[in-house]
Amino acid sequence: MSDTPSAAELALAAGGHLDLVTAPFTMPRSRLLVFREGDGVRVHTSEYERRLDQCRVLDGLLVHDGAGRVLPVVDVQPHRISFGSVTLAFDGLRALSIGGDPSASVLLTLPDGTESRHEIGSGLRIDVAADRTVAVATQADGAHRDAVAALRALWEEWFDRCPRVREDLQDMAAFCWWVLGANIVELPALEGARAIVPSKIGYVGLWQWDAYFIAVGLRHGDPELAREQLELAFRFPRANGQLPDVVHEQGVLATSDDLPESDRATLRRAGSQVADPTAPVPLTKPPLAAWALRKVLEVEDAPEWAADQLERVIRSQDWWFAGPEQNGSDLDGDGLPEYGHPYSSGLDDSPVFDGPIPTTAPDLAAYLVQQDREIAALAARYLPGHDIAPHFARADRTVALLMEKLWDPAERRFIARGPVSDRDGVRIASDTVVGLMPLRVEGLPQDARAALLAAIDDPERYALEWGLPTVSASDPDFSPERMWRGPIWINTSALIAEGLDEAGRPERARELREQTVRLVIHGGGPHEYFNPRTGLKAERATTAFGWSAALFLDLAVTLSR
């Protein structure tokens, strides 16, 4: 690859990762996904709250040459799959085009087991209807060639925006940029709004937290699309200012009443007390809205847009501190908000939530401190006349309460607490990454800061070979494979790196960033989470994961300066 790679070179680099297993063949805005199936492929649609096996279009598409021999997949690029003398591409968002050797044929297998063989001739077009039924038609001469060329041009336009980074990071950066483009879906109910979903495999919606991390990486190549992610996340506040957890094609997920039955069943199996609450519990995500807004505006200013979005962020921040009478999140009225549901933390399977909830967690307090300060800085620029003093005052009060209620001077770490049964509440002893997030707080007392730095550097707890686990390796709850109970996540590592910068440890911050990008490269791509012992994808982790891809890009840009 050249020093300043072209869009075509970057597309080629991304294509080297398209194995049709961890990364399917798809295109921006399409809901069709093509995976490897033996020597051929299979086709699914991507739908909200539906598993792939519920979204089958073709269980098999097998190519044969004129003599009846199978032509296996030999190469995949963003714009086409090659079976040698036959290629497959998209022809619009809901159709596949097949062309090449006119004597070849394709054998299609439907989900009900029905098979049909079609001669390629001048080319075939497979249209997929909304109900996942297929129609096969012959194409005119040249139509397949035009479809391949159009898809190549679309992808090269996308890759032209890909950040150019350090040479050793560029190949993976190209793949991560492909992931962001591939994960674009349209939300028809929102007038064709473009949402970059966490994954077209199982996560088809715009999750609030994911949108923040995705926007932070996306800003380096497409700041307009980055702003669109934040605008979608902020577009549907409840009357009290609470932002919804998810915006999806059927509406929003803002309270436990909105949960699909599959989620309720999962919670019941885990013994959760909030699987079927008698009153709806608000569902949101941690308050990193102002952080993401500030970062996106750093690369391309948009004052009128920023002012509009900031008003929504301020109302959301106020909701966190509102009491139960306002259906807010300071559920005991002590000035330190709680997570009313594990989903609202973003770390829903963390051992922090094994006990009773609501949970007063140090990461939430840290996010709220920084968000008030971010709001004050943004308001000073975009909302003239807005009184910023209350934001600074509330941030200072939150720091004081964080230290008073959640800092354990004997153990020298922050401890989450469950519902108040006495002055201090139920102590939650698990040593997790949520207890490290106060490192991001400006003005944290020196003793607490030194203790967090020591924990991060302790090879028995958090300084593992492949990075920062989400539960201390010495904690009884540590599991290298189970979601949020030990695996490395790119977002928590990136946030802790910022905390190291805030703590005056830029060299250690850079070391963690280098370790994190090395993990993604070693692990074979931007997976949802990684085994901290092997540095490989955890068994149940989703692949081609949006925020992992976006934050790899953000880290790569930072490390390339």
Side-chain angles (χ1 to χ4, degrees):
M1 194 179 294
S2 59
D3 291 341
T4 306
S6 67
E9 288 176 308
L10 293 170
L12 185 64
H17 297 272
L18 304 187
D19 58 4
L20 304 185
V21 178
T22 61
F25 182 66
T26 187
M27 68 174 284
R29 298 167 45 230
S30 176
R31 295 300 186 91
L32 298 182
L33 302 173
V34 182
F35 292 90
R36 190 182 295 271
E37 185 65 33
D39 286 333
V41 297
R42 67 181 193 276
V43 183
H44 299 258
T45 56
S46 177
E47 302 175 33
Y48 178 67
E49 285 299 323
R50 286 183 177 271
R51 302 186 309 273
L52 282 179
D53 61 7
Q54 297 174 303
C55 301
R56 292 152 61 196
V57 174
L58 290 173
D59 282 1
L61 187 161
L62 197 60
V63 180
H64 296 84
D65 67 12
R69 293 182 295 262
V70 171
L71 297 177
V73 174
V74 295
D75 182 50
V76 183
Q77 291 300 315
H79 67 285
R80 58 101 181 105
I81 297 174
S82 172
F83 300 87
S85 61
V86 173
T87 56
L88 179 150
F90 278 84
D91 188 4
L93 301 182
R94 297 198 65 88
L96 299 173
S97 175
I98 303 174
D101 180 358
S103 68
S105 63
V106 294
L107 178 66
L108 304 181
T109 304
L110 297 176
D112 65 2
T114 303
E115 293 185 344
S116 61
R117 185 177 295 277
H118 304 267
E119 301 299 322
I120 289 179
S122 60
L124 294 174
R125 177 184 165 99
I126 302 173
D127 284 280
V128 181
D131 63 356
R132 297 190 291 278
T133 57
V134 302
V136 183
T138 301
Q139 290 181 303
D141 284 337
H144 175 68
R145 183 174 58 253
D146 291 345
V148 173
L151 191 56
R152 181 196 291 269
L154 183 149
W155 274 115
E156 289 191 3
E157 181 182 1
W158 176 253
F159 280 106
D160 195 45
R161 301 188 186 100
C162 177
R164 272 57 170 182
V165 296
R166 211 171 65 194
E167 184 178 2
D168 61 313
L169 304 178
Q170 189 67 75
D171 179 87
M172 183 56 69
F175 180 41
C176 288
W177 192 248
W178 175 89
V179 169
L180 295 184
N183 284 350
I184 298 173
V185 302
E186 286 190 349
L187 300 178
L190 302 180
E191 300 174 347
R194 300 171 298 169
I196 297 184
V197 301
S199 171
K200 284 183 178 175
I201 309 170
Y203 291 97
V204 188
L206 183 130
W207 271 257
Q208 183 196 145
W209 219 28
D210 298 69
Y212 299 157
F213 297 124
I214 287 170
V216 164
L218 187 63
R219 66 187 171 133
H220 298 296
D222 197 334
E224 179 183 357
L225 189 53
R227 290 195 298 272
E228 188 169 348
Q229 305 316 296
L230 299 186
E231 187 172 340
L232 283 170
F234 302 155
R235 187 182 293 186
F236 301 101
R238 303 184 75 201
N240 59 11
Q242 176 216 331
L243 294 173
D245 185 359
V246 188
V247 176
H248 56 82
E249 55 205 23
Q250 299 169 25
V252 299
L253 177 64
T255 81
S256 52
D257 278 355
D258 302 327
L259 282 174
E261 177 53 32
S262 60
D263 281 31
R264 292 180 182 274
T266 299
L267 290 169
R268 281 194 292 272
R269 284 194 298 271
S272 170
Q273 299 180 34
V274 295
D276 293 296
T278 56
V281 177
L283 299 179
T284 186
K285 278 294 183 281
L288 284 164
W291 170 82
L293 186 60
R294 186 254 303 168
K295 283 184 170 285
V296 167
L297 291 166
E298 283 176 351
V299 299
E300 187 174 278
D301 205 6
E304 291 185 11
W305 177 87
D308 188 38
Q309 306 311 314
L310 186 55
E311 295 277 11
R312 293 179 170 86
V313 174
I314 291 170
R315 292 189 63 235
S316 170
Q317 179 79 344
D318 290 342
W319 168 80
W320 279 102
F321 286 95
E325 68 283 352
Q326 300 165 282
N327 201 26
S329 208
D330 184 7
L331 300 173
D332 57 10
D334 69 347
L336 199 59
E338 292 83 34
Y339 289 127
H341 192 289
Y343 285 8
S344 294
S345 74
L347 286 73
D348 39 278
D349 198 35
S350 171
V352 166
F353 301 106
D354 284 355
I357 58 173
T359 305
T360 309
D363 64 326
L364 177 56
Y367 295 143
L368 289 167
V369 170
Q370 292 306 98
Q371 176 135 293
D372 260 324
R373 290 172 176 166
E374 294 267 17
I375 286 171
L378 289 167
R381 181 171 182 176
Y382 297 109
L383 294 176
H386 181 85
D387 187 1
I388 63 175
H391 295 290
F392 286 121
R394 187 164 60 188
D396 291 343
R397 287 196 303 273
T398 307
V399 173
L401 288 168
L402 170 67
M403 295 304 301
E404 175 190 338
K405 294 178 176 291
L406 302 182
W407 173 246
D408 186 325
E411 292 199 24
R412 290 174 52 77
R413 63 188 181 95
F414 287 96
I415 306 288
R417 296 193 179 275
V420 173
S421 59
D422 52 37
R423 180 180 178 277
D424 295 321
V426 178
R427 185 176 183 277
I428 300 171
S430 298
D431 184 7
T432 76
V433 73
V434 305
L436 301 181
M437 287 301 169
L439 192 64
R440 302 180 72 247
V441 172
E442 179 184 354
L444 192 71
Q446 184 57 39
D447 182 58
R449 176 164 287 161
L452 297 185
L453 291 171
I456 290 170
D457 287 339
D458 186 347
E460 299 299 316
R461 293 173 68 190
Y462 290 102
L464 303 190
E465 178 185 0
W466 288 106
L468 191 82
T470 43
V471 172
S472 164
S474 63
D475 192 279
D477 290 319
F478 173 79
S479 169
E481 283 284 327
R482 188 172 169 186
M483 178 187 286
W484 293 120
R485 304 179 79 93
I488 299 169
W489 289 70
I490 306 306
N491 65 329
T492 50
S493 296
L495 290 171
I496 293 300
E498 289 193 351
L500 289 164
D501 281 330
E502 177 59 42
R505 293 281 302 277
E507 299 86 359
R508 183 67 179 89
R510 185 177 185 88
E511 178 185 317
L512 179 56
R513 291 183 175 108
E514 293 279 9
Q515 188 179 39
T516 303
V517 295
R518 189 169 69 249
L519 168 73
V520 175
I521 293 170
H522 169 78
H527 307 309
E528 187 179 13
Y529 50 96
F530 298 78
N531 184 307
R533 296 300 192 194
T534 66
L536 302 176
K537 183 184 89 69
E539 182 179 357
R540 300 187 65 180
T542 297
T543 57
F545 195 69
W547 86 35
S548 298
L551 291 175
F552 178 92
L553 287 160
D554 189 58
L555 293 170
V557 169
T558 299
L559 292 169
S560 301
R561 288 173 178 154

mmCIF file of all heavy atoms in Angstrom, residues 385-420:
data_model
loop_
_atom_site.group_PDB
_atom_site.id
_atom_site.type_symbol
_atom_site.label_atom_id
_atom_site.label_comp_id
_atom_site.label_asym_id
_atom_site.label_seq_id
_atom_site.Cartn_x
_atom_site.Cartn_y
_atom_site.Cartn_z
ATOM 1 N N GLY A 385 -25.845 33.394 27.059
ATOM 2 C CA GLY A 385 -26.924 33.696 27.997
ATOM 3 C C GLY A 385 -27.260 32.536 28.911
ATOM 4 O O GLY A 385 -27.933 32.728 29.938
ATOM 5 N N HIS A 386 -26.821 31.329 28.557
ATOM 6 C CA HIS A 386 -27.080 30.188 29.440
ATOM 7 C C HIS A 386 -26.159 30.284 30.652
ATOM 8 O O HIS A 386 -24.944 30.478 30.524
ATOM 9 C CB HIS A 386 -26.831 28.875 28.694
ATOM 10 C CG HIS A 386 -27.086 27.647 29.516
ATOM 11 N ND1 HIS A 386 -28.337 27.102 29.647
ATOM 12 C CD2 HIS A 386 -26.255 26.871 30.266
ATOM 13 C CE1 HIS A 386 -28.274 26.028 30.421
ATOM 14 N NE2 HIS A 386 -27.010 25.863 30.808
ATOM 15 N N ASP A 387 -26.718 30.141 31.844
ATOM 16 C CA ASP A 387 -25.942 30.235 33.080
ATOM 17 C C ASP A 387 -25.158 28.942 33.277
ATOM 18 O O ASP A 387 -25.742 27.877 33.528
ATOM 19 C CB ASP A 387 -26.886 30.476 34.263
ATOM 20 C CG ASP A 387 -26.132 30.755 35.561
ATOM 21 O OD1 ASP A 387 -24.879 30.781 35.539
ATOM 22 O OD2 ASP A 387 -26.811 30.948 36.594
ATOM 23 N N ILE A 388 -23.842 29.030 33.171
ATOM 24 C CA ILE A 388 -23.033 27.816 33.283
ATOM 25 C C ILE A 388 -22.589 27.536 34.715
ATOM 26 O O ILE A 388 -22.144 26.428 35.014
ATOM 27 C CB ILE A 388 -21.803 27.889 32.358
ATOM 28 C CG1 ILE A 388 -20.871 29.030 32.760
ATOM 29 C CG2 ILE A 388 -22.236 28.031 30.898
ATOM 30 C CD1 ILE A 388 -19.588 29.066 31.939
ATOM 31 N N ALA A 389 -22.740 28.517 35.615
ATOM 32 C CA ALA A 389 -22.281 28.325 36.997
ATOM 33 C C ALA A 389 -22.932 27.122 37.667
ATOM 34 O O ALA A 389 -22.248 26.359 38.379
ATOM 35 C CB ALA A 389 -22.522 29.597 37.809
ATOM 36 N N PRO A 390 -24.252 26.884 37.501
ATOM 37 C CA PRO A 390 -24.853 25.713 38.155
ATOM 38 C C PRO A 390 -24.254 24.379 37.705
ATOM 39 O O PRO A 390 -24.226 23.423 38.489
ATOM 40 C CB PRO A 390 -26.334 25.816 37.758
ATOM 41 C CG PRO A 390 -26.558 27.274 37.501
ATOM 42 C CD PRO A 390 -25.280 27.745 36.884
ATOM 43 N N HIS A 391 -23.776 24.325 36.479
ATOM 44 C CA HIS A 391 -23.162 23.077 36.015
ATOM 45 C C HIS A 391 -21.854 22.809 36.746
ATOM 46 O O HIS A 391 -21.580 21.675 37.166
ATOM 47 C CB HIS A 391 -22.921 23.133 34.514
ATOM 48 C CG HIS A 391 -24.183 23.197 33.711
ATOM 49 N ND1 HIS A 391 -25.040 22.138 33.593
ATOM 50 C CD2 HIS A 391 -24.749 24.224 33.001
ATOM 51 C CE1 HIS A 391 -26.068 22.480 32.839
ATOM 52 N NE2 HIS A 391 -25.913 23.744 32.463
ATOM 53 N N PHE A 392 -21.038 23.834 36.903
ATOM 54 C CA PHE A 392 -19.796 23.667 37.652
ATOM 55 C C PHE A 392 -20.080 23.331 39.111
ATOM 56 O O PHE A 392 -19.416 22.465 39.699
ATOM 57 C CB PHE A 392 -18.942 24.933 37.559
ATOM 58 C CG PHE A 392 -18.280 25.133 36.222
ATOM 59 C CD1 PHE A 392 -18.537 26.274 35.467
ATOM 60 C CD2 PHE A 392 -17.396 24.195 35.712
ATOM 61 C CE1 PHE A 392 -17.927 26.469 34.237
ATOM 62 C CE2 PHE A 392 -16.774 24.384 34.476
ATOM 63 C CZ PHE A 392 -17.048 25.527 33.745
ATOM 64 N N ALA A 393 -21.073 23.991 39.695
ATOM 65 C CA ALA A 393 -21.404 23.748 41.104
ATOM 66 C C ALA A 393 -21.896 22.309 41.284
ATOM 67 O O ALA A 393 -21.508 21.625 42.248
ATOM 68 C CB ALA A 393 -22.457 24.751 41.576
ATOM 69 N N ARG A 394 -22.754 21.846 40.377
ATOM 70 C CA ARG A 394 -23.266 20.478 40.501
ATOM 71 C C ARG A 394 -22.141 19.463 40.297
ATOM 72 O O ARG A 394 -22.098 18.425 40.979
ATOM 73 C CB ARG A 394 -24.384 20.244 39.490
ATOM 74 C CG ARG A 394 -25.081 18.907 39.663
ATOM 75 C CD ARG A 394 -26.409 18.868 38.910
ATOM 76 N NE ARG A 394 -26.252 19.084 37.479
ATOM 77 C CZ ARG A 394 -27.265 19.243 36.640
ATOM 78 N NH1 ARG A 394 -28.523 19.209 37.093
ATOM 79 N NH2 ARG A 394 -27.056 19.436 35.345
ATOM 80 N N ALA A 395 -21.226 19.757 39.397
ATOM 81 C CA ALA A 395 -20.089 18.856 39.199
ATOM 82 C C ALA A 395 -19.262 18.746 40.478
ATOM 83 O O ALA A 395 -18.853 17.642 40.871
ATOM 84 C CB ALA A 395 -19.218 19.350 38.046
ATOM 85 N N ASP A 396 -19.018 19.862 41.139
ATOM 86 C CA ASP A 396 -18.242 19.836 42.377
ATOM 87 C C ASP A 396 -18.973 19.045 43.458
ATOM 88 O O ASP A 396 -18.346 18.274 44.212
ATOM 89 C CB ASP A 396 -17.972 21.263 42.863
ATOM 90 C CG ASP A 396 -17.000 22.016 41.964
ATOM 91 O OD1 ASP A 396 -16.300 21.354 41.165
ATOM 92 O OD2 ASP A 396 -16.947 23.264 42.040
ATOM 93 N N ARG A 397 -20.304 19.214 43.547
ATOM 94 C CA ARG A 397 -21.073 18.456 44.541
ATOM 95 C C ARG A 397 -21.015 16.956 44.243
ATOM 96 O O ARG A 397 -20.910 16.134 45.160
ATOM 97 C CB ARG A 397 -22.538 18.910 44.543
ATOM 98 C CG ARG A 397 -22.786 20.267 45.154
ATOM 99 C CD ARG A 397 -24.269 20.474 45.475
ATOM 100 N NE ARG A 397 -25.132 20.309 44.308
ATOM 101 C CZ ARG A 397 -25.435 21.281 43.459
ATOM 102 N NH1 ARG A 397 -24.924 22.503 43.640
ATOM 103 N NH2 ARG A 397 -26.240 21.068 42.435
ATOM 104 N N THR A 398 -21.064 16.609 42.958
ATOM 105 C CA THR A 398 -21.038 15.198 42.583
ATOM 106 C C THR A 398 -19.693 14.569 42.920
ATOM 107 O O THR A 398 -19.632 13.420 43.380
ATOM 108 C CB THR A 398 -21.360 15.033 41.092
ATOM 109 O OG1 THR A 398 -22.580 15.713 40.792
ATOM 110 C CG2 THR A 398 -21.514 13.567 40.726
ATOM 111 N N VAL A 399 -18.604 15.308 42.734
ATOM 112 C CA VAL A 399 -17.284 14.796 43.116
ATOM 113 C C VAL A 399 -17.245 14.535 44.616
ATOM 114 O O VAL A 399 -16.757 13.485 45.067
ATOM 115 C CB VAL A 399 -16.166 15.773 42.705
ATOM 116 C CG1 VAL A 399 -14.822 15.297 43.265
ATOM 117 C CG2 VAL A 399 -16.075 15.911 41.203
ATOM 118 N N ALA A 400 -17.764 15.471 45.383
ATOM 119 C CA ALA A 400 -17.767 15.315 46.841
ATOM 120 C C ALA A 400 -18.578 14.084 47.253
ATOM 121 O O ALA A 400 -18.152 13.302 48.119
ATOM 122 C CB ALA A 400 -18.325 16.573 47.499
ATOM 123 N N LEU A 401 -19.739 13.874 46.642
ATOM 124 C CA LEU A 401 -20.567 12.715 46.975
ATOM 125 C C LEU A 401 -19.923 11.416 46.499
ATOM 126 O O LEU A 401 -20.024 10.377 47.172
ATOM 127 C CB LEU A 401 -21.952 12.871 46.335
ATOM 128 C CG LEU A 401 -22.853 13.928 46.979
ATOM 129 C CD1 LEU A 401 -24.067 14.208 46.094
ATOM 130 C CD2 LEU A 401 -23.302 13.467 48.366
ATOM 131 N N LEU A 402 -19.259 11.454 45.358
ATOM 132 C CA LEU A 402 -18.528 10.293 44.871
ATOM 133 C C LEU A 402 -17.505 9.842 45.904
ATOM 134 O O LEU A 402 -17.399 8.638 46.225
ATOM 135 C CB LEU A 402 -17.847 10.640 43.543
ATOM 136 C CG LEU A 402 -16.827 9.650 42.972
ATOM 137 C CD1 LEU A 402 -17.504 8.351 42.549
ATOM 138 C CD2 LEU A 402 -16.096 10.262 41.773
ATOM 139 N N MET A 403 -16.752 10.772 46.426
ATOM 140 C CA MET A 403 -15.732 10.436 47.411
ATOM 141 C C MET A 403 -16.356 10.016 48.749
ATOM 142 O O MET A 403 -15.884 9.078 49.395
ATOM 143 C CB MET A 403 -14.797 11.628 47.622
ATOM 144 C CG MET A 403 -13.974 12.012 46.410
ATOM 145 S SD MET A 403 -12.965 10.645 45.752
ATOM 146 C CE MET A 403 -11.943 10.246 47.173
ATOM 147 N N GLU A 404 -17.424 10.687 49.128
ATOM 148 C CA GLU A 404 -18.051 10.388 50.425
ATOM 149 C C GLU A 404 -18.726 9.023 50.439
ATOM 150 O O GLU A 404 -18.607 8.266 51.405
ATOM 151 C CB GLU A 404 -19.085 11.466 50.748
ATOM 152 C CG GLU A 404 -19.884 11.201 52.020
ATOM 153 C CD GLU A 404 -21.052 12.156 52.180
ATOM 154 O OE1 GLU A 404 -21.035 13.244 51.577
ATOM 155 O OE2 GLU A 404 -22.006 11.795 52.913
ATOM 156 N N LYS A 405 -19.424 8.690 49.372
ATOM 157 C CA LYS A 405 -20.280 7.511 49.386
ATOM 158 C C LYS A 405 -19.675 6.276 48.720
ATOM 159 O O LYS A 405 -20.051 5.144 49.060
ATOM 160 C CB LYS A 405 -21.617 7.837 48.710
ATOM 161 C CG LYS A 405 -22.462 8.862 49.468
ATOM 162 C CD LYS A 405 -23.747 9.170 48.723
ATOM 163 C CE LYS A 405 -24.627 10.110 49.531
ATOM 164 N NZ LYS A 405 -25.183 9.443 50.743
ATOM 165 N N LEU A 406 -18.757 6.461 47.759
ATOM 166 C CA LEU A 406 -18.296 5.320 46.970
ATOM 167 C C LEU A 406 -16.800 5.028 47.088
ATOM 168 O O LEU A 406 -16.348 3.986 46.608
ATOM 169 C CB LEU A 406 -18.660 5.524 45.488
ATOM 170 C CG LEU A 406 -20.148 5.715 45.188
ATOM 171 C CD1 LEU A 406 -20.377 5.863 43.683
ATOM 172 C CD2 LEU A 406 -20.977 4.561 45.739
ATOM 173 N N TRP A 407 -16.038 5.916 47.707
ATOM 174 C CA TRP A 407 -14.604 5.665 47.871
ATOM 175 C C TRP A 407 -14.379 4.890 49.160
ATOM 176 O O TRP A 407 -14.856 5.273 50.230
ATOM 177 C CB TRP A 407 -13.825 6.971 47.899
ATOM 178 C CG TRP A 407 -12.356 6.824 48.221
ATOM 179 C CD1 TRP A 407 -11.704 7.282 49.336
ATOM 180 C CD2 TRP A 407 -11.364 6.189 47.418
ATOM 181 N NE1 TRP A 407 -10.376 6.969 49.286
ATOM 182 C CE2 TRP A 407 -10.127 6.294 48.109
ATOM 183 C CE3 TRP A 407 -11.395 5.550 46.185
ATOM 184 C CZ2 TRP A 407 -8.943 5.777 47.609
ATOM 185 C CZ3 TRP A 407 -10.203 5.014 45.687
ATOM 186 C CH2 TRP A 407 -9.002 5.140 46.391
ATOM 187 N N ASP A 408 -13.650 3.783 49.063
ATOM 188 C CA ASP A 408 -13.300 2.976 50.238
ATOM 189 C C ASP A 408 -11.822 3.208 50.534
ATOM 190 O O ASP A 408 -10.962 2.658 49.842
ATOM 191 C CB ASP A 408 -13.569 1.498 49.958
ATOM 192 C CG ASP A 408 -13.354 0.615 51.188
ATOM 193 O OD1 ASP A 408 -12.443 0.913 51.975
ATOM 194 O OD2 ASP A 408 -14.101 -0.370 51.333
ATOM 195 N N PRO A 409 -11.509 4.025 51.547
ATOM 196 C CA PRO A 409 -10.094 4.341 51.801
ATOM 197 C C PRO A 409 -9.291 3.142 52.277
ATOM 198 O O PRO A 409 -8.075 3.088 52.081
ATOM 199 C CB PRO A 409 -10.180 5.431 52.879
ATOM 200 C CG PRO A 409 -11.515 5.262 53.509
ATOM 201 C CD PRO A 409 -12.414 4.737 52.453
ATOM 202 N N ALA A 410 -9.963 2.157 52.905
ATOM 203 C CA ALA A 410 -9.240 0.978 53.370
ATOM 204 C C ALA A 410 -8.807 0.109 52.182
ATOM 205 O O ALA A 410 -7.656 -0.337 52.113
ATOM 206 C CB ALA A 410 -10.109 0.181 54.332
ATOM 207 N N GLU A 411 -9.715 -0.117 51.251
ATOM 208 C CA GLU A 411 -9.377 -0.930 50.077
ATOM 209 C C GLU A 411 -8.764 -0.109 48.955
ATOM 210 O O GLU A 411 -8.288 -0.669 47.964
ATOM 211 C CB GLU A 411 -10.629 -1.648 49.562
ATOM 212 C CG GLU A 411 -11.137 -2.714 50.509
ATOM 213 C CD GLU A 411 -12.053 -3.695 49.817
ATOM 214 O OE1 GLU A 411 -11.957 -3.844 48.582
ATOM 215 O OE2 GLU A 411 -12.863 -4.319 50.514
ATOM 216 N N ARG A 412 -8.812 1.199 49.099
ATOM 217 C CA ARG A 412 -8.253 2.127 48.118
ATOM 218 C C ARG A 412 -8.838 1.881 46.715
ATOM 219 O O ARG A 412 -8.131 1.783 45.722
ATOM 220 C CB ARG A 412 -6.722 2.035 48.086
ATOM 221 C CG ARG A 412 -6.077 2.598 49.341
ATOM 222 C CD ARG A 412 -4.569 2.396 49.395
ATOM 223 N NE ARG A 412 -3.866 2.865 48.215
ATOM 224 C CZ ARG A 412 -3.586 4.129 47.925
ATOM 225 N NH1 ARG A 412 -3.977 5.089 48.745
ATOM 226 N NH2 ARG A 412 -2.916 4.453 46.831
ATOM 227 N N ARG A 413 -10.162 1.801 46.662
ATOM 228 C CA ARG A 413 -10.858 1.699 45.394
ATOM 229 C C ARG A 413 -12.297 2.169 45.561
ATOM 230 O O ARG A 413 -12.816 2.282 46.679
ATOM 231 C CB ARG A 413 -10.814 0.286 44.830
ATOM 232 C CG ARG A 413 -11.497 -0.784 45.648
ATOM 233 C CD ARG A 413 -11.197 -2.161 45.037
ATOM 234 N NE ARG A 413 -11.844 -3.248 45.758
ATOM 235 C CZ ARG A 413 -13.017 -3.786 45.428
ATOM 236 N NH1 ARG A 413 -13.692 -3.322 44.381
ATOM 237 N NH2 ARG A 413 -13.527 -4.793 46.123
ATOM 238 N N PHE A 414 -12.927 2.449 44.421
ATOM 239 C CA PHE A 414 -14.322 2.861 44.432
ATOM 240 C C PHE A 414 -15.212 1.619 44.429
ATOM 241 O O PHE A 414 -14.965 0.668 43.689
ATOM 242 C CB PHE A 414 -14.631 3.738 43.208
ATOM 243 C CG PHE A 414 -14.046 5.116 43.312
ATOM 244 C CD1 PHE A 414 -12.820 5.414 42.723
ATOM 245 C CD2 PHE A 414 -14.714 6.117 44.005
ATOM 246 C CE1 PHE A 414 -12.275 6.678 42.820
ATOM 247 C CE2 PHE A 414 -14.174 7.394 44.109
ATOM 248 C CZ PHE A 414 -12.954 7.672 43.517
ATOM 249 N N ILE A 415 -16.258 1.657 45.252
ATOM 250 C CA ILE A 415 -17.152 0.528 45.444
ATOM 251 C C ILE A 415 -18.567 0.935 45.043
ATOM 252 O O ILE A 415 -19.094 1.944 45.516
ATOM 253 C CB ILE A 415 -17.166 0.076 46.922
ATOM 254 C CG1 ILE A 415 -15.751 -0.203 47.433
ATOM 255 C CG2 ILE A 415 -18.083 -1.124 47.111
ATOM 256 C CD1 ILE A 415 -15.121 -1.445 46.888
ATOM 257 N N ALA A 416 -19.193 0.160 44.169
ATOM 258 C CA ALA A 416 -20.602 0.405 43.846
ATOM 259 C C ALA A 416 -21.469 -0.044 45.008
ATOM 260 O O ALA A 416 -21.079 -0.887 45.820
ATOM 261 C CB ALA A 416 -20.975 -0.355 42.578
ATOM 262 N N ARG A 417 -22.658 0.551 45.062
ATOM 263 C CA ARG A 417 -23.572 0.199 46.167
ATOM 264 C C ARG A 417 -24.978 -0.022 45.629
ATOM 265 O O ARG A 417 -25.408 0.619 44.680
ATOM 266 C CB ARG A 417 -23.572 1.290 47.237
ATOM 267 C CG ARG A 417 -22.212 1.441 47.911
ATOM 268 C CD ARG A 417 -22.245 2.281 49.168
ATOM 269 N NE ARG A 417 -20.922 2.359 49.776
ATOM 270 C CZ ARG A 417 -20.413 1.450 50.607
ATOM 271 N NH1 ARG A 417 -21.128 0.401 50.939
ATOM 272 N NH2 ARG A 417 -19.203 1.603 51.115
ATOM 273 N N GLY A 418 -25.669 -0.946 46.280
ATOM 274 C CA GLY A 418 -27.048 -1.250 45.928
ATOM 275 C C GLY A 418 -28.002 -0.356 46.697
ATOM 276 O O GLY A 418 -27.601 0.671 47.260
ATOM 277 N N PRO A 419 -29.297 -0.726 46.720
ATOM 278 C CA PRO A 419 -30.299 0.126 47.374
ATOM 279 C C PRO A 419 -29.957 0.398 48.831
ATOM 280 O O PRO A 419 -29.361 -0.431 49.522
ATOM 281 C CB PRO A 419 -31.585 -0.703 47.263
ATOM 282 C CG PRO A 419 -31.345 -1.636 46.137
ATOM 283 C CD PRO A 419 -29.882 -1.939 46.149
ATOM 284 N N VAL A 420 -30.341 1.567 49.286
ATOM 285 C CA VAL A 420 -30.014 2.001 50.646
ATOM 286 C C VAL A 420 -30.825 1.201 51.649
ATOM 287 O O VAL A 420 -32.049 1.226 51.662
ATOM 288 C CB VAL A 420 -30.289 3.508 50.816
ATOM 289 C CG1 VAL A 420 -30.104 3.918 52.264
ATOM 290 C CG2 VAL A 420 -29.374 4.307 49.916
#
